[in-house]
Amino acid sequence: MDKNITDLIYLMSCALNETDPDPKIASDIDIGMLYELCRKHSVSALIYPALEKAGIQSDDFSQAFHKSVRKNILFNIERKAITDEFERQGIWYMPLKGIILKELYPNAGMRQMSDNDILIDPRYRENSRDIMLSRGYKIEHYDTGYCDEYMKPPVLNFEIHIRLFQYESDSIVSKYYENISDKLLSDGVSRCGRRLSDEDLYVYLTAHEYKHYSGGGTGIRSLADCYLFIKSKGDDLDWNYIDLQLSMLGLDQYEKKRREIAMKLFSHAEPLYLSNAEEEDVMMYIRYGIYGTSEKKADTQLEKSMSSGQTKLGYILSRAIPKPSYIKEWYPFFRKHPLLLPAGYVLRWIKALTKSRNKVKSEIHALKKHR
């Protein structure tokens, strides 16, 4: 395994366990290459405390950490204002993913946040839009898919979810989370705030991570999230319940391997020794970065299609002319005007040739590989 990768894992382990790095290892770090790798995985702020303990000075890492601290403070203030308005209007809501996971990290700001995700009562989608607009946010997209995205320059980005996963009629995960309100508990501190039990939260986080892992890929920060969750809550979790839910979702084997990798990488702040098979498992998280790649996603989509018996021509047609329900999901206008649906396909093709050119190129490349 590349030395920069082993240095990254070692420093992440030191930071997560709040231990001092070995001076001999620290003295041989290529700080420039390390920063590029950290930036790709959004862990620059995470390892900054370990670098500081090692006496390594770097403006790039220092700026990343302090920027993350400031951004988290801004998110916390703004999220409180938004959820106060949900409370006033009687809209139940539940913070998701990074909002919860960041609290498990040793220091504030260690987990960098690109956005904040909140699940709300889907009956109040329009109300949430009005709340966000009243607070000066611009709509990035609304009423398309399972969440709405709002931006307020320079750094605030909120995704307001009406579902946890995109609805797909053939998806076990989508069906499992279709009635999520049945699993919600009071957060214990507010009238409308909701939460999942620790067991259901772990199942959801695993399902969400797998969506990315099996699609465009996901980065090594996912393993740090897993490690800290298990370290914080593992002894108190009902693993029989978790195993049953993950088995129902077909994710039990994935979860087991992911957990084993995470615990091996970060349980001890010491140089790591991995077998060839373990190295390849780790590289599945390293090579695609925090948000994955369009190339990996295109390969995955095509492989899934081929394995289900679909021909290459059938795949092309399904992407160029998807089901009407797909057009209605992503182009709300055609829900009210179904007779104009053919225009929705034209809009989709125009978008493919303008805003989504990189995705289209990735799919064409994937098709060329599968002769």
Side-chain angles (χ1 to χ4, degrees):
M1 186 178 289
D2 182 88
K3 181 180 181 300
N4 294 306
I5 296 173
T6 59
D7 286 343
L8 168 65
I9 294 170
Y10 174 69
L11 289 170
M12 287 178 67
S13 183
C14 290
L16 294 172
N17 293 292
E18 299 183 272
T19 58
D20 294 347
D22 185 326
K24 292 182 180 178
I25 297 175
S27 66
D28 194 33
I29 290 172
D30 184 329
I31 198 70
M33 293 296 293
L34 178 67
Y35 178 71
E36 287 304 310
L37 187 57
C38 287
R39 189 172 60 84
K40 182 180 177 182
H41 287 269
S42 291
V43 292
S44 305
L46 193 164
I47 70 168
Y48 172 73
L51 292 174
E52 194 174 41
K53 287 181 178 180
I56 298 175
Q57 301 297 316
S58 167
D59 288 342
D60 287 332
F61 281 98
S62 177
Q63 289 175 15
F65 177 76
H66 290 101
K67 179 181 177 181
S68 180
V69 170
R70 290 193 297 272
K71 193 172 182 180
N72 270 281
I73 292 172
L74 289 174
F75 267 128
N76 290 343
I77 293 171
E78 189 66 14
R79 189 175 63 256
K80 177 65 165 57
I82 292 168
T83 55
D84 279 351
E85 190 60 29
F86 289 157
E87 290 280 346
R88 190 182 72 80
Q89 297 192 27
I91 304 170
W92 68 251
Y93 61 90
M94 179 172 69
L96 300 173
K97 298 182 294 187
I99 299 173
I100 302 168
L101 290 168
K102 70 182 178 65
E103 301 301 325
L104 302 179
Y105 282 71
N107 298 318
M110 284 179 71
R111 193 182 193 279
Q112 292 164 247
M113 303 286 287
S114 60
D115 58 22
N116 269 200
D117 297 79
I118 303 173
L119 177 72
I120 65 164
D121 186 334
R123 297 174 299 173
Y124 295 93
R125 190 174 206 169
E126 290 186 9
N127 301 64
S128 71
R129 177 198 61 193
D130 294 341
I131 290 169
M132 300 306 284
L133 289 176
S134 73
R135 295 198 58 76
Y137 284 83
K138 294 181 179 180
I139 297 175
E140 291 295 297
H141 59 79
Y142 171 75
D143 200 20
T144 58
Y146 64 102
C147 71
D148 304 318
E149 185 175 3
Y150 301 92
M151 294 283 294
K152 183 193 285 188
V155 298
L156 293 174
N157 180 3
F158 279 83
E159 291 191 357
I160 307 299
H161 295 244
I162 61 164
R163 294 192 298 273
L164 290 181
F165 291 90
Q166 182 67 38
Y167 178 73
E168 299 173 36
S169 60
D170 61 343
S171 168
I172 296 173
V173 172
S174 177
K175 290 179 180 178
Y176 179 90
Y177 284 105
E178 192 170 359
N179 298 311
I180 184 61
S181 59
D182 295 342
K183 293 182 178 294
L184 300 186
L185 308 171
S186 169
D187 67 4
V189 296
S190 60
R191 179 170 64 97
C192 298
R194 300 290 184 267
R195 67 177 181 88
L196 291 169
S197 69
D198 287 341
E199 289 80 6
D200 281 324
L201 176 58
Y202 184 72
V203 172
Y204 162 64
L205 292 171
T206 301
H208 178 266
E209 181 189 310
Y210 183 74
K211 179 188 74 172
H212 291 290
Y213 177 86
S214 63
T218 189
I220 196 169
R221 191 180 69 181
S222 297
L223 296 176
D225 289 342
C226 175
Y227 169 70
L228 287 177
F229 195 96
I230 299 300
K231 181 181 178 183
S232 173
K233 304 175 183 294
D235 291 341
D236 297 321
L237 295 174
D238 181 347
W239 283 102
N240 289 329
Y241 175 83
I242 290 173
D243 291 342
L244 176 61
Q245 305 310 303
L246 290 170
S247 179
M248 291 168 56
L249 293 169
L251 298 176
D252 47 332
Q253 293 304 308
Y254 169 76
E255 185 279 329
K256 182 175 183 293
K257 178 177 284 191
R258 184 273 310 268
R259 176 160 40 102
E260 288 175 350
I261 294 171
M263 300 309 290
K264 180 157 190 177
L265 289 187
F266 303 128
S267 285
H268 305 285
E270 59 189 26
L272 186 68
Y273 298 96
L274 300 172
S275 68
N276 290 337
E278 288 170 334
E279 282 193 14
E280 182 53 35
D281 288 337
V282 173
M283 289 306 298
M284 285 296 291
Y285 288 87
I286 292 290
R287 63 172 59 101
Y288 299 114
I290 188 69
Y291 300 115
T293 65
S294 58
E295 291 81 5
K296 170 68 163 54
K297 186 173 183 179
D299 283 337
T300 301
Q301 286 178 330
L302 185 56
E303 288 171 6
K304 181 180 179 181
S305 175
M306 296 296 192
S307 65
S308 67
Q310 191 175 41
T311 64
K312 185 182 289 189
L313 176 60
Y315 173 79
I316 294 172
L317 290 174
S318 70
R319 297 294 293 143
I321 311 175
K323 295 177 181 179
S325 58
Y326 179 94
I327 298 297
K328 292 177 182 179
E329 179 81 5
W330 293 100
Y331 300 93
F333 174 82
F334 300 104
R335 298 174 201 163
K336 297 180 180 179
H337 305 282
L339 293 178
L340 299 177
L341 195 62
Y345 290 97
V346 176
L347 285 175
R348 174 171 166 76
W349 300 332
I350 292 173
K351 181 181 178 182
L353 295 173
T354 54
K355 295 182 178 180
S356 303
R357 282 180 293 180
N358 289 336
K359 292 181 180 179
V360 173
K361 288 179 181 178
S362 297
E363 292 202 49
I364 292 172
H365 182 68
L367 285 164
K368 287 180 177 178
K369 289 194 299 183
H370 290 76
R371 295 186 181 278

